[in-house]
Structure formats: structure tokens, C-alpha cells
Amino acid sequence: MADLIIKNAYILSMDPEAGDIENGIVVVEDGKIKEVGTSTECTAEKVIDAKGSVLMPGLVNTHCHAGMTIFRGYADDMQLQDWLENHIWPAEAKLTDDDIYAGTKLACLEMIRSGTIAFADMYIHENRVAQAVDEAGIRAALSYGMIDFGDKEKADKELEVGRAFVKEWNGKAGGRISTMYGPHAPNTCSRDFLIRVKEQAVKDGVKQHIHVLETEAELNYMKENFGMCSIHFLKGIDFWGTDVLAAHCVWLSDGDIKILAEYGVNISHNPNSNMKLASGICPVAKLIDAGANVCLGTDGCASNNNLDMFEEMRSAALLQKVSTMDPTALPARKVLEMATINGAKALGINSGMLKEGYNADMIIVDMNKAHLAPVYDVASHLVYAANGKDVSTTIVDGKVLMEDGKVLSMDEQEVIDTAIKASKDLLDRIGN
Ligand SMILES: O=c1[nH]cnc2c1ncn2[C@@H]1O[C@H](CO)[C@@H](O)[C@H]1O
Ligand SMILES: [Zn+2]
């Protein structure tokens, strides 16, 4: 007997061979998809009737600082450098590991509610992030964010913490957690440090997660100090020769785009954060044309200010259209690919498609809503009209984490109350 059957769904499989299936059935066994079709011989312990709903692969958030959910709305309307140096970093210095656990629990709750099945994270006290992910039931690729600012002693310490984290958590939570190295950015990490981290990542067989060319200030800094941009600088130390997830990539030349595509770099596009911090616009359409793997992320909640990947899909599409003055740029299906297939590829997980053998990481979107009627094209609604609140059911690794709007893997009110209390205590400590 199978574990779970979902029937009567409009299946948006994202599998190029199967396409969309009306009135479809998905069968789940041992956390994997066993069958996708229009009928089945199987019976299951649990059956969900998804009539009037869309069943699709859950969304993958490829750039996040989940613990920063505790800072939602803490410091808005300023430049990245001012925001980080004068507000976020001083506040982070006062964060306890309990605060980060509380913030990450809240982030996981919000992600499960809005249809995200996996996320990539870079933050501090990452052990507690991993604990929260383990308990919440979601999937994640986690990294400890390392910064050395050219200080050799700090570099040694940071790499030690990063290494310990990679070793302790890779493959944990029944395989739902993977680990990466997280050198923060080319303008906050020294050249020597980036080389050491890269070599360690290759030795340990894990990926690296890094911010790259988020701002024009970074581009200017790199040109002044190294006589070249971050993309060429990282090429020079063979950083791109390893498996990399690069967030933002806003300030790219046409030559940079070629390099990123050629090396198969995974690029996490974060349109809402880039708009809010006025960082600029990632040339997504050009990157895709060049053959690069572009996926989507929200960034942290202090620069977004939510984790709703449906909003991110809509923003990504609209921003490319207006910046290229071409309404055919980034059509709905392409954006859905970025949020599912491409994101799963970037994280190295077998999700992002509803297909036999893939992880049963999927969501049900309720289409019986005023703002989703009538329906001509399901993909259009998912990108241009829906939002995260339309997700009724979220399934990760075959486990139902939310069913019909009720979160099953955690006590929702307790998670919200704990985060609010932590934010108040934090303000007292900061002295605001
Ligand atoms: O958009 C961003 N650009 C650069 N750094 C960021 C951004 N958002 C958060 N952080 C910072 O990255 C570190 C990760 O460990 C944290 O210090 C976090 O505040
Ligand atoms: Zn970031």
C-alpha cells in the first residue's frame, strides 16, 4: 500500500514530457513520487481530494537568511552599505542563538504556508538554523556565513566554524539538510580566504553560496582594489570551477554573463530585495539566453520583507519586462521553471518536478478564489494573480506539513509568540 494519493488535481508537473494533466493522480511512497497519471491501481493510507485545485512542485527559495525574519521591518528604506554596517550588523552582534532559532522557526512557518519546500540559507549560529529546519520538516541547503575582512586570525576562526558546520549537518534530518560553505562576498572576504574556502569546499565535496555583484559599490571596490570586477576576479582564482550558488549578480557585463553561463554557475535572482535596496536589476533574460541556470530567492526578511515566492515570481517577470521594454521577456512558464526545476538543480535536490522517482515535495494551490477566476491558463494565474496564501497544502519528503490551511509540523501560535517576544528582548538589549 502506498502512503499518499492525491486525486482529481489539475497537475502542473513541470516535467517537459508529461506536461499538464487534467484530473490527475499522484501516488507517493517512502517520500518519493511513485506514479503520476490519470488513474492508478494503488491504494494508499491517506487520500487527498484536490478537486478545483492545482497540484505542482513546491517552490525553491535559493537565497535566504532565515534567521533574519526576526528583523522583519527593523530597518527599511536605506542603501545596502548603510543598512548592513549601521543597522543590521550592530544588531546581529546582539543576537543570541535562541533568537536565530526563533527567527528561523518563523521563517519555516511562513515558507510552509506559502508553498516553499526547500531553501538555501547563509547565516550565523547556523546550528540552530539546522535544528529549526529539522523540526519544521522543510528541506534546506545551509551554510554558515563567513567574513574575514582580510584579518588572518578571523579567517582561521571563520573557516573552523564553517567546516564544523558542514561536517556536522550534511545529510542530516533524514537527508533533508545539506550543507555548503558560505563565504559572504568578494568585497567582505579576502582573496586568500576565498581560495582557502574554495579548496576546502572541493575537498569536502560541497557547494559554495556567495553574494556576488549585488551593488555598484561592490563593482567599484573590486575595480579599485583588483583592477577587475568580481566575476573576473573569481575566475582568476578558479572559484567558478567549483559548484557555486551566486546570489544577486546584478552588475554584469556581457562578458561576465558568458563566464557565468560557461561555468554553469547557479544564479539566484532576488528581485524584491534588489528593488527595495535599489541595488539594480539582474539581466535575467540575457543570462537565460546565454544558457545560465537562473533561479529565484527572497533574500532575508529584513530586505524583502516577506518570504512569499509567488510574489518573487511575479516581480521577476514584471521587472524583466519593464527593464528590457519587452513584454515577451520572461513569460510565466519560464518563471515557474526558475522557481521549481532551476532552484532544485541549484540546491542539488531531486525535486522541482512531479515525476516518478522524484522527491514528493509538492503543493496544492486552491483556485476557488475571487482573484483566481476565471481560468484560461493555470501558469498565468500562478505567476500573475496568485499569492502564497492560496497554498492550501504543502508536502515535503512525502510528509504533509500543512493540510487545508492547517500547519501540522509545528504549533503556529507558539512560533509567532516566541518570535515576537525575542524581538522585544532584542530591542531592550540593543537599547532602542
Ligand atoms: O542582501 C544582502 N547582501 C549582503 N549581505 C546580506 C544581505 N542580506 C543579509 N546579509 C548579511 O549576510 C550575512 C550572512 O551571514 C549576515 O550578516 C546578513 O546580515
Ligand atoms: Zn543575501
Side-chain angles (χ1 to χ4, degrees):
M1 202 193 271
D3 300 320
L4 172 67
I5 288 178
I6 300 171
K7 62 176 191 183
N8 296 328
Y10 181 100
I11 299 178
L12 187 106
S13 72
M14 296 308 292
D15 171 4
E17 281 166 34
D20 292 9
I21 304 168
E22 275 182 62
N23 250 318
I25 292 183
V26 167
V27 182
V28 175
E29 198 172 270
D30 291 334
K32 302 269 186 275
I33 293 171
K34 193 179 173 203
E35 283 177 32
V36 179
T38 48
S39 64
T40 181
E41 305 274 286
C42 289
T43 55
E45 262 164 49
K46 185 174 174 64
V47 177
I48 295 177
D49 189 338
K51 193 165 169 37
S53 297
V54 171
L55 176 66
M56 63 180 285
L59 307 177
V60 182
N61 183 347
T62 54
H63 182 65
C64 194
H65 312 278
M68 290 185 88
T69 307
I70 205 88
F71 289 130
R72 192 195 319 266
Y74 172 71
D76 296 316
D77 310 326
M78 53 190 90
Q79 293 281 346
L80 176 74
Q81 220 151 335
D82 179 23
W83 177 77
L84 271 180
E85 287 173 15
N86 302 319
H87 300 270
I88 296 297
W89 282 342
E92 281 178 351
K94 306 255 177 181
L95 276 184
T96 65
D97 61 345
D98 283 342
D99 294 336
I100 285 167
Y101 171 76
T104 308
K105 265 293 182 72
L106 184 64
C108 291
L109 174 60
E110 188 184 349
M111 286 193 266
I112 290 166
R113 276 215 157 281
S114 53
T116 292
I117 52 92
F119 68 102
D121 196 71
M122 179 207 290
Y123 211 48
I124 47 179
H125 298 288
E126 199 71 11
N127 287 315
R128 302 301 302 280
V129 174
Q131 184 197 347
V133 166
D134 188 1
E135 292 169 4
I138 199 166
R139 208 180 280 284
L142 306 176
S143 65
Y144 167 66
M146 303 179 292
I147 296 181
D148 76 320
F149 285 129
D151 175 341
K152 170 81 174 61
E153 218 174 290
K154 189 160 166 48
D156 290 345
K157 272 197 203 137
E158 288 284 86
L159 190 52
E160 208 38 60
V161 178
R163 278 184 68 180
F165 178 75
V166 163
K167 287 226 166 76
E168 186 177 345
W169 284 96
N170 207 21
K172 289 288 160 63
R176 279 187 288 109
I177 293 178
S178 65
T179 56
M180 306 182 291
Y181 280 94
H184 179 259
N187 60 336
T188 53
C189 296
S190 67
R191 188 175 184 275
D192 281 352
F193 185 55
L194 287 168
I195 292 172
R196 284 174 70 193
V197 172
K198 179 205 75 168
E199 284 172 356
Q200 194 61 48
V202 171
K203 221 183 255 172
D204 295 344
V206 299
K207 295 165 189 286
Q208 296 182 86
H209 187 173
I210 186 169
H211 296 94
V212 180
L213 286 177
E214 179 177 6
T215 61
E216 192 176 20
E218 176 185 332
L219 178 63
N220 292 337
Y221 174 92
M222 296 304 285
K223 279 189 178 161
E224 268 162 38
N225 287 275
F226 301 99
M228 60 184 108
C229 77
S230 307
I231 305 298
H232 284 80
F233 168 83
L234 291 170
K235 185 178 180 226
I237 60 168
D238 195 29
F239 196 84
W240 299 131
T242 65
D243 199 349
V244 181
L245 171 58
H248 303 302
C249 296
V250 169
W251 290 86
L252 303 178
S253 67
D254 288 350
D256 296 336
I257 289 171
K258 261 198 202 137
I259 294 173
L260 292 173
E262 185 187 321
Y263 282 92
V265 178
N266 301 292
I267 297 144
S268 177
H269 174 44
N270 297 201
N272 286 334
S273 170
N274 293 162
M275 288 194 282
K276 185 160 184 283
L277 290 164
S279 300
I281 303 169
C282 171
V284 172
K286 280 189 179 180
L287 282 162
I288 291 175
D289 280 348
N293 185 48
V294 190
C295 41
L296 284 179
T298 57
D299 213 345
C301 252
S303 61
N304 189 302
N305 291 0
N306 66 42
L307 304 174
D308 185 340
M309 284 289 290
F310 282 86
E311 284 190 15
E312 222 57 46
M313 288 199 287
R314 177 172 149 99
S315 294
L318 301 188
L319 191 54
Q320 279 310 292
K321 293 174 197 303
V322 72
S323 66
T324 57
M325 288 306 282
D326 175 5
T328 69
L330 225 54
R333 290 264 169 189
K334 203 61 187 169
V335 181
L336 282 164
E337 270 173 34
M338 289 168 69
T340 55
I341 299 169
N342 298 4
K345 186 175 171 205
L347 265 60
I349 55 177
N350 203 24
S351 310
M353 252 191 238
L354 301 187
K355 191 181 173 83
E356 190 192 329
Y358 276 59
N359 294 328
D361 293 350
M362 48 198 183
I363 58 176
I364 299 175
V365 183
D366 181 2
M367 302 295 274
N368 187 26
K369 300 267 179 93
H371 63 282
L372 298 177
V375 184
Y376 300 103
D377 175 9
V378 168
S380 160
H381 273 13
L382 293 170
V383 173
Y384 298 121
N387 64 64
K389 290 189 231 35
D390 301 323
V391 176
S392 62
T393 298
T394 300
I395 297 162
V396 177
D397 217 19
K399 307 245 161 32
V400 183
L401 304 184
M402 174 170 78
E403 184 171 8
D404 237 344
K406 185 164 175 25
V407 176
L408 306 174
S409 62
M410 53 181 114
D411 181 335
E412 181 155 19
Q413 198 54 54
E414 190 194 327
V415 169
I416 295 171
D417 292 344
T418 306
I420 292 173
K421 175 156 191 328
S423 76
K424 287 188 175 144
D425 295 348
L426 178 64
L427 275 190
D428 284 345
R429 285 201 302 281
I430 294 171
N432 277 3

